Amino acid sequence: MARSKTKKNNDKLVARIREWVDQQQNNTYNYKQVAHAIGASAPVQQRTVAMTLVDMAFNGDLIEVSPGKYKTPQRTALSTGTFVRRSNGKNSVITDVDGENIFVAERNSMHALNGDRVSINIAARRRGVEPEAEVVAIIEKKDQTFIGTLQVEKYFGMLLTDSKFLATDIFIPKAKIKGGVTGDKAIVRITEWPDDAKNPRGEVVDILGKNGENNAEMHAILAEFGLPYVYPASVERAARRIDAGITDEVVAQRLDMRDVTTFTIDPKDAKDFDDALSIRRLHNGNYEIGVHIADVTHYVTPDTALDREASKRATSVYLVDRVVPMLPEHLSNGICSLRPDEDKLTFSCVFEMDDNANVIGSEIARTVTRSNRRFTYEEAQQVIETGEGDYRDEILTLDRLAKIMRADRYSRGSVEFDRPEVKFDIDGQGHPTGVFFKVSKDANKLIEEFMLLANKTVAKAVGLPQGKRKPKAFVYRIHDMPDQGKLQDLATIAATFGYRIKVSGEPEAINRSLNRMLADVKGTAEENFLSTLAIRSMAKAVYSTENIGHYGLGFPFYTHFTSPIRRYPDMMVHRLLARYLDGGRSVNVEKLEMECKHSSEMEQLAASAERASIKYKQVEFMADRLGETFPGVITGVTEWGLYVELEENLCEGLVPMRDLADDYYDFDEKNYCLIGRRTGARYRLGDKVVVRVARADVAKKQLDFVIADKINRPDEDLLGRKVTAAQALSDRPGKKRRNPRTTVRRPRRR
């Protein structure tokens, strides 16, 4: 009788769950949200909710959009969406109506290419079988270019593609090869793909150079992400026609600050100096500190060829061995760059600050400045460390004030992401000869704090106007709260290393716990791994007209104002600021939001290209070290193998499952480990291992390792089983080891 009552209650609960999810339309939810909504507070009820959602997803009644997050499908038999082509044959369509990813077999694809807009027919869903769709029409074809290596025959050519979006090579008629020869790296545009043809047809767009040559490979990386690698001749000509034009009339319309001590602090290889600092003591004992930014928009006016090209690019791109500037070098390295001993037009935030770094007042104005000295970060750092050198009093004062501001910022919940950057020593042919790490020191942090202050001040000036006036449309740099699931995953992984992170409560408390963890991991083998995971747990910062604040910095108002030479959003901010300071009306918010979205997308592409160039150089660097062994840390555990990051140079490679030949390993997703069926041996996230460099495929940017040795954790035996400290000591090198088949007894509780 009791069992019958339990079943009846369970059926009622399942019915409430189904009723609730049917009402959610396009919302996403997890089991905790469902349980809270229907009042299922008991643990046994919450387990029922979780299992019901899993079962509904299995049956096709729900879509699992990410692990543990669901939505109700808005599926109909006919739909539209974006085609996703994969070289492994796992093609799919992301539907417009609810973002569901539906499999499309190659025979049902109509040769649609990645990014094409398509109309599909969705087959009836069968229990336990993933849905499948058939492309019935290509609505809009996306212009498709691919990078690869040419193989030229007598009457035709083939492009052997490097793309993950195309499984076949591209056929090129002889007349469309554009002078390319076998071995050339080339960009090819697909022109057609006949229904009865195995291969698409294409034409050569550009020859990048010989396969394997540094310039060709760097240009190929840019082209892979749709980023330009040359400037149109018309844009270069337009830039060269511009002169500095600092006339008496222009100066008279600006605040003249050329007599105030001013200097720049930049990387030693920098040529585009877009920010400078000035400082002088006021009669009342306070300081006047100016943050001066190159006035790029004085020279680059809207709707010109220069402006259209800058808007299209949206950002400079920083690869391993070069910078691809947003603006032609005549502007970026010449007229706009705040070079020493040259009068420059600037847009400035001028602050009055007391000895405790409190801002007493501020002014935003167009100015004329003159830099007295160009410092590299290393030179400024030496002044800070020794107290000696040019402008020592000014630099030491700015450093002292910056440290106060920095401490205050962290106390208010700003997250301290301070990771070393991987850099390469490059020879004359572009080949990497060494790896080193760029670490942020006091001189870098000095500049960072004053740039943050200027960006925050500008955003607040527009976003929080005085009186009851309504804020005008503006470009904000926003950063949403971290994804709760990713934050929980980070906390779980960090706990395996002995670190604790808060996952709930006030944002300031969560961020302070993150800062404690990031400080505690300094100098440890897991530092780079955990700090990388912490960054990945955060939302991506983007540009938007809708201000939600910047979570990572802990600022309610923030924008990008300080780098207009290399970021188009900063140019947008300069124009809006000038307009509003002159009393102009608010601009069209919809158009501004589109420009913000484009800039955010281009920023992500540039970051992806930068990472690809680093990965390419890492593989190229390790190709010279085949057969050598290195200590590393397991940074990823997947069903296809282990990712290991080398401690010496942070190069990451894969230990494929096929190369773990001593046993058959199962993937334990919940505990982030591989477990040997026969031996019980474990490879866990964060484990230290010694690996041998087995393969380095430069073309695919892939690095393969094999395990040479496993360094046991202090609390586990040879098979990865938990042991007492005394037992662990008996397994150390030089000690007699137990038979691996011996049972390890649990220590008694005390």
Side-chain angles (χ1 to χ4, degrees):
M1 187 71 179
R3 183 176 297 177
S4 175
K5 185 177 180 181
T6 301
K7 184 179 185 305
K8 187 175 180 181
N9 289 337
N10 193 61
D11 290 344
K12 285 183 178 179
L13 180 60
V14 171
R16 282 157 55 201
I17 296 167
R18 289 180 176 275
E19 181 183 1
W20 187 87
V21 300
D22 285 344
Q23 299 169 358
Q24 297 312 301
Q25 296 182 353
N26 214 30
N27 298 325
T28 59
Y29 39 83
N30 57 32
Y31 86 91
K32 289 183 179 179
Q33 291 168 307
V34 178
H36 177 75
I38 65 174
S41 56
V44 65
Q45 291 177 316
Q46 292 188 351
R47 282 196 294 273
T48 300
V49 173
M51 292 308 298
T52 301
L53 295 179
V54 169
D55 192 50
M56 290 177 72
F58 179 75
N59 292 333
D61 299 328
L62 292 181
I63 302 167
E64 189 171 13
V65 293
S66 62
K69 293 194 76 172
Y70 303 90
K71 69 186 295 188
T72 308
Q74 311 295 308
R75 189 187 299 146
T76 59
L78 287 173
S79 188
T80 58
T82 303
F83 193 83
V84 179
R85 175 170 285 279
R86 295 291 179 186
S87 60
N88 60 7
K90 294 183 179 180
N91 307 325
S92 62
V93 169
I94 300 173
T95 61
D96 293 334
V97 66
D98 58 14
E100 185 178 7
N101 200 320
I102 303 179
F103 173 74
V104 179
E106 181 60 36
R107 66 182 180 278
N108 296 326
S109 71
M110 286 187 68
H111 291 328
L113 294 171
N114 194 62
D116 285 354
R117 301 271 301 121
V118 296
S119 178
I120 57 172
N121 188 12
I122 303 172
R125 179 66 192 255
R126 290 178 294 158
R127 179 181 173 87
V129 179
E130 69 171 323
E132 188 169 338
E134 176 186 8
V135 176
V136 294
I138 298 176
I139 303 169
E140 181 183 342
K141 295 189 75 68
K142 183 183 177 183
D143 188 36
Q144 301 282 346
T145 57
F146 292 88
I147 298 97
T149 305
L150 284 178
Q151 182 176 312
V152 180
E153 306 296 339
K154 187 174 182 180
Y155 299 109
F156 65 92
M158 300 293 291
L159 184 79
L160 312 182
T161 63
D162 303 336
S163 176
K164 61 184 178 183
F165 297 120
L166 193 65
T168 61
D169 299 327
I170 301 172
F171 176 86
I172 309 166
K174 187 72 172 180
K176 302 290 186 180
I177 291 178
K178 208 173 180 177
V181 297
T182 296
D184 280 349
K185 199 90 172 182
I187 304 174
V188 168
R189 177 186 294 112
I190 289 182
T191 54
E192 62 174 335
W193 195 343
D195 291 340
D196 58 349
K198 178 183 176 182
N199 300 85
R201 293 172 176 267
E203 61 182 5
V204 172
V205 175
D206 197 9
I207 303 294
L208 301 175
K210 285 295 178 186
N211 188 34
E213 287 181 352
N214 186 62
N215 269 344
E217 297 299 338
M218 292 297 107
H219 287 168
I221 287 172
L222 291 167
E224 177 187 350
F225 294 99
L227 298 169
Y229 48 90
V230 292
Y231 258 101
S234 59
V235 176
E236 290 278 15
R237 287 194 298 270
R240 285 195 293 270
R241 287 196 292 267
I242 296 175
D243 61 37
I246 305 179
T247 63
D248 291 341
E249 290 77 14
V250 170
V251 172
Q253 297 170 6
R254 293 172 175 256
L255 179 62
D256 191 345
M257 298 190 69
R258 288 176 292 182
D259 61 342
V260 184
T261 299
T262 304
F263 44 79
T264 60
I265 305 177
D266 289 282
K268 60 185 176 183
D269 57 351
K271 296 176 182 177
D272 54 341
F273 313 136
D274 52 12
D275 59 81
L277 294 176
S278 69
I279 180 171
R280 63 179 168 187
R281 198 85 187 228
L282 299 174
H283 294 302
N284 62 5
N286 290 337
Y287 298 99
E288 179 196 81
I289 296 173
V291 178
H292 307 290
I293 309 301
D295 192 356
V296 175
T297 56
H298 177 84
Y299 301 103
V300 181
T301 53
D303 298 322
T304 58
L306 265 173
D307 183 55
R308 286 190 292 271
E309 184 69 20
S311 174
K312 179 182 171 184
R313 293 175 179 239
T315 181
S316 295
V317 184
Y318 292 81
L319 301 185
V320 165
D321 64 338
R322 69 194 65 200
V323 178
V324 183
M326 181 181 74
L327 296 168
E329 291 188 3
H330 178 68
L331 289 172
S332 61
N333 296 355
I335 287 174
C336 295
S337 184
L338 307 184
R339 300 185 297 196
D341 302 320
E342 295 181 13
D343 291 350
K344 295 292 179 179
L345 301 182
T346 44
F347 216 149
S348 306
C349 287
V350 184
F351 303 95
E352 181 181 346
M353 301 182 77
D354 65 18
D355 262 332
N356 295 315
N358 296 308
V359 176
I360 309 303
S362 63
E363 178 183 9
I364 301 171
R366 280 186 144 156
T367 53
V368 184
T369 53
R370 186 180 182 87
S371 173
N372 302 106
R373 170 78 147 82
R374 183 256 160 136
F375 284 94
T376 65
Y377 280 121
E378 291 78 8
E379 290 170 337
Q381 185 64 29
Q382 188 172 15
V383 173
I384 292 170
E385 291 177 359
T386 65
E388 300 296 333
D390 294 346
Y391 301 106
R392 59 178 294 278
D393 293 338
E394 289 84 352
I395 288 178
L396 292 175
T397 298
L398 290 170
D399 177 59
R400 180 176 62 79
L401 295 174
K403 284 173 177 168
I404 296 172
M405 290 192 291
R406 192 174 184 84
D408 179 65
R409 180 161 60 84
Y410 289 144
S411 72
R412 295 175 186 271
S414 185
V415 185
E416 185 177 9
F417 289 122
D418 191 13
R419 298 177 62 240
E421 295 180 51
V422 178
K423 298 288 183 181
F424 294 88
D425 292 315
I426 306 287
D427 65 18
Q429 285 71 47
H431 190 77
T433 58
V435 180
F436 64 95
F437 306 116
K438 180 183 173 184
V439 180
S440 182
K441 295 187 177 180
D442 288 340
N444 306 78
K445 295 172 183 178
L446 181 163
I447 292 296
E448 179 186 26
E449 287 307 317
F450 283 102
M451 297 306 115
L452 290 175
L453 177 62
N455 287 332
K456 178 174 68 171
T457 301
V458 167
K460 193 173 180 180
V462 178
L464 196 64
Q466 294 180 352
K468 296 183 179 180
R469 287 182 295 176
K470 185 180 178 181
K472 296 177 179 178
F474 199 56
V475 176
Y476 296 97
R477 180 69 168 177
I478 63 169
H479 186 222
D480 207 348
M481 295 183 67
D483 178 270
Q484 195 63 30
K486 290 182 179 179
L487 193 61
Q488 182 62 62
D489 288 345
L490 171 65
T492 302
I493 295 168
T496 67
F497 293 93
Y499 306 107
R500 185 182 175 191
I501 296 172
K502 285 180 69 69
V503 295
S504 61
E506 293 296 318
E508 293 82 0
I510 294 173
N511 288 356
R512 279 194 288 270
S513 75
L514 274 172
N515 284 340
R516 280 194 298 273
M517 186 273 287
L518 292 168
D520 290 344
V521 300
K522 291 281 187 189
T524 66
E526 63 267 19
E527 176 184 0
N528 193 59
F529 167 53
L530 285 179
S531 58
T532 299
L533 282 183
I535 290 173
R536 289 176 183 171
S537 73
M538 293 286 167
K540 284 185 171 64
V542 295
Y543 299 104
S544 178
T545 57
E546 183 180 348
N547 181 39
I548 61 169
H550 196 293
Y551 176 87
L553 292 172
F555 292 166
F557 295 90
Y558 191 64
T559 189
H560 273 172
F561 163 79
T562 53
S563 295
I565 289 177
R566 61 185 179 90
R567 294 188 304 226
Y568 194 76
D570 300 57
M571 289 176 58
M572 293 160 61
V573 165
H574 280 220
R575 285 175 181 154
L576 292 170
L577 196 56
R579 178 189 180 99
Y580 297 156
L581 288 174
D582 291 340
R585 297 176 63 183
S586 184
V587 299
N588 181 280
V589 70
E590 287 80 13
K591 182 183 177 187
L592 192 62
E593 182 62 32
M594 287 176 60
E595 292 175 320
C596 287
K597 184 179 179 182
H598 171 72
S599 293
S600 299
E601 290 170 351
M602 294 305 294
E603 178 187 39
Q604 291 305 314
L605 286 175
S608 297
E610 180 183 359
R611 287 192 295 269
S613 75
I614 291 171
K615 184 67 178 177
Y616 180 85
K617 289 301 175 189
Q618 285 178 328
V619 176
E620 193 178 14
F621 178 71
M622 296 307 295
D624 296 335
R625 289 150 183 82
L626 290 176
E628 296 182 23
T629 57
F630 298 87
V633 176
I634 295 175
T635 54
V637 182
T638 70
E639 59 191 12
W640 56 85
L642 304 167
Y643 286 95
V644 176
E645 184 181 80
L646 305 185
E647 294 178 5
E648 179 180 311
N649 50 39
L650 303 188
C651 292
E652 186 180 65
L654 176 70
V655 179
M657 191 74 86
R658 65 176 181 273
D659 289 342
L660 292 171
D662 62 321
D663 202 345
Y664 185 92
Y665 285 87
D666 292 312
F667 175 44
D668 182 348
E669 185 176 6
K670 181 180 178 182
N671 295 302
Y672 307 98
C673 66
L674 297 181
I675 305 173
R677 287 186 181 179
R678 180 176 56 83
T679 63
R682 294 171 182 257
Y683 289 102
R684 297 185 293 185
L685 204 63
D687 279 353
K688 294 185 178 182
V689 291
V690 177
V691 294
R692 181 177 296 107
V693 184
R695 290 171 290 275
D697 190 330
V698 178
K700 294 182 178 178
K701 307 182 191 71
Q702 291 179 356
L703 196 57
D704 282 358
F705 299 143
V706 293
I707 298 288
D709 194 12
K710 183 172 186 287
I711 304 170
N712 291 343
R713 295 186 182 190
D715 63 342
E716 67 181 23
D717 69 3
L718 296 173
L719 304 184
R721 298 174 298 194
K722 290 287 183 180
V723 296
T724 64
Q727 288 170 329
L729 283 170
S730 69
D731 268 349
R732 289 185 177 174
K735 298 285 185 180
K736 184 178 179 180
R737 296 185 173 181
R738 296 187 300 275
N739 186 322
R741 297 182 183 275
T742 302
T743 300
V744 180
R745 298 185 182 276
R746 292 178 180 270
R748 288 185 300 172
R749 292 180 182 270
R750 294 182 179 175

